[in-house]
Amino acid sequence: MPDAFTPSRRALLGTLAGAGALLAAPAAFAQAAWPSKPVRIVVPFAPGGTTDILARAVAPELSRAFGQQFIVDNRAGAGGNIGADMVAKAAPDGYTLLMGTVGTQSINKWLYSKMPFDPQKDFTPITLVAGVPNVMVVAADKARANGINNVADFIKYAKAHPGKLNMASSGNGTSIHLAGELFKTMSGTYMTHFPFSGSGPALLSLVGGDMDVMFDNLPSSMQLIKAGRLKALAVTSSQPSAALPDVPTVEQAGGLKGFEASSWFGLLGPAGLSPDIANRIQQEVARSLGTAAVKEKMLANGAIPSGNTPAQFAQLIDAELKKWQPVVKASGAKVD
């Protein structure tokens, strides 16, 4: 019986194998060449807030590391859901990333009756960029006019004016919003919540006198605090912040035992993002956060840099989802 693989048969198979290799090569080359065009980092809030500040801190570092522009794209609305949903539905090719927050990834699922995405299934965690305490701030001139020097004074003033104080936030479901709801529940006060499209617009309204209080992320309020336009009454973390060492915690200043509501911010891609691309981004973020210039800038603004691995970031998101579910339920906050 003749050999099934005759010379002509072998030649044909060799030609087909070579053609297959040539067809596969462009895909492999494209992946290896990432990034070959600009990368978009979607910030799901308005410019001027902490999410925006941190994205603009890491974007230039990533641009230098990879030789392509990493462009910050602000897409605000629905407590961060609009921008996050854009990334969830984007192609997992590494060219659309999200600067996600504790709100978009761990709070909104419990706050919104209808969610356009699943915070675990629809994203690929890349790295936690930074953790940030919130800070309870009031307009400095209003504080002076109403004798508000600390949290106890504020609680007393709020109880004397029930329903007449306005509480600003960067949007429904953000940690800023939930910190305020937790404060209202634990202090027995009532304030009307006004959600804005980000911390920037909310702070303008607070300084302008339309709002009375805000539980803002520390980095976005820091400059206004230093300039004397905002008075920091307390930080919402369990320990004082090194950036504001003279400012007590809410628990210390207001006697609200166990009060803690901090924020975090991290990079994610759509589900299905190549582990190679995710790891490359994580490694460069970690490297940049370890440099003296970037690290000192973040610490000075109250942010605690991280740069952890994709697996560690995924574990944090899972843990935070479990943490915030009972907090949202207890607050009674709900968005339809």
Side-chain angles (χ1 to χ4, degrees):
M1 179 180 288
D3 183 358
F5 290 97
T6 61
S8 59
R9 179 77 178 275
R10 291 193 186 97
L12 176 60
L13 290 174
T15 301
L16 291 173
L22 287 173
L23 289 171
F29 177 78
Q31 183 176 357
W34 178 93
S36 59
K37 61 182 182 179
V39 177
R40 176 172 58 162
I41 300 177
V42 175
V43 170
F45 298 99
T50 299
T51 319
D52 184 66
I53 291 171
L54 293 177
R56 294 181 189 279
V58 300
E61 299 293 326
L62 293 173
S63 297
R64 282 191 285 271
F66 291 110
Q68 288 286 349
Q69 289 295 307
F70 280 66
I71 302 167
V72 175
D73 183 4
N74 296 87
R75 298 298 181 105
N81 282 353
I82 290 176
D85 188 46
M86 287 180 59
V87 178
K89 291 177 171 56
D93 54 11
Y95 292 100
T96 305
L97 307 176
L98 172 71
M99 182 60 83
T101 71
V102 62
T104 60
Q105 307 309 125
S106 298
I107 294 176
N108 287 3
K109 180 176 181 177
W110 313 121
L111 184 76
Y112 285 78
S113 57
K114 294 181 180 179
M115 283 287 287
F117 58 84
D118 187 297
Q120 292 167 297
K121 296 179 180 179
D122 294 339
F123 296 92
T124 299
I126 297 174
T127 187
L128 175 69
V129 174
V132 175
N134 292 335
V135 59
M136 183 181 180
V137 287
V138 294
D141 54 354
K142 272 196 173 185
R144 286 191 294 269
N146 295 297
I148 299 174
N149 297 305
N150 50 49
V151 176
D153 288 342
F154 181 87
I155 293 174
K156 181 179 178 181
Y157 182 78
K159 287 184 174 180
H161 300 82
K164 295 183 179 180
L165 273 64
N166 298 326
M167 181 183 77
S169 85
S170 57
N172 283 315
T174 60
S175 68
I176 294 172
H177 171 206
L178 265 294
E181 294 294 342
L182 185 61
F183 179 86
K184 287 160 62 176
T185 299
M186 293 183 69
S187 64
T189 58
Y190 177 76
M191 296 168 280
T192 303
H193 173 227
F194 284 85
F196 289 77
S197 62
S199 282
L203 288 169
L204 286 175
S205 188
L206 181 64
V207 172
D210 294 326
M211 298 291 110
D212 297 292
V213 66
M214 184 173 173
F215 292 79
D216 191 31
N217 300 144
L218 186 48
S220 48
S221 282
M222 183 64 81
Q223 296 306 314
L224 290 170
I225 294 170
K226 289 181 177 179
R229 301 185 69 187
L230 288 179
K231 181 176 180 61
L233 299 181
V235 290
T236 65
S237 48
S238 58
Q239 299 293 327
S241 170
L244 292 174
D246 297 328
V247 177
T249 67
V250 170
E251 178 175 346
Q252 292 170 337
L256 305 183
K257 187 174 178 58
F259 187 98
E260 197 276 331
S262 298
S263 303
W264 51 258
F265 307 82
L267 286 172
L268 306 99
L273 178 68
S274 161
D276 176 65
I277 292 176
N279 288 329
R280 289 173 63 190
I281 296 172
Q282 181 269 324
Q283 289 163 10
E284 288 302 330
V285 170
R287 181 201 58 77
S288 66
L289 293 177
T291 62
V294 176
K295 187 175 182 179
E296 289 173 8
K297 182 178 181 181
M298 285 199 171
L299 290 173
N301 282 289
I304 303 170
S306 176
N308 64 5
T309 67
Q312 291 169 331
F313 189 25
Q315 290 174 357
L316 172 68
I317 293 171
D318 292 346
E320 288 286 284
L321 275 163
K322 294 174 183 176
K323 168 188 172 180
W324 283 103
Q325 182 181 19
V327 174
V328 173
K329 184 177 180 180
S331 74
K334 200 70 179 174
V335 180
D336 296 319

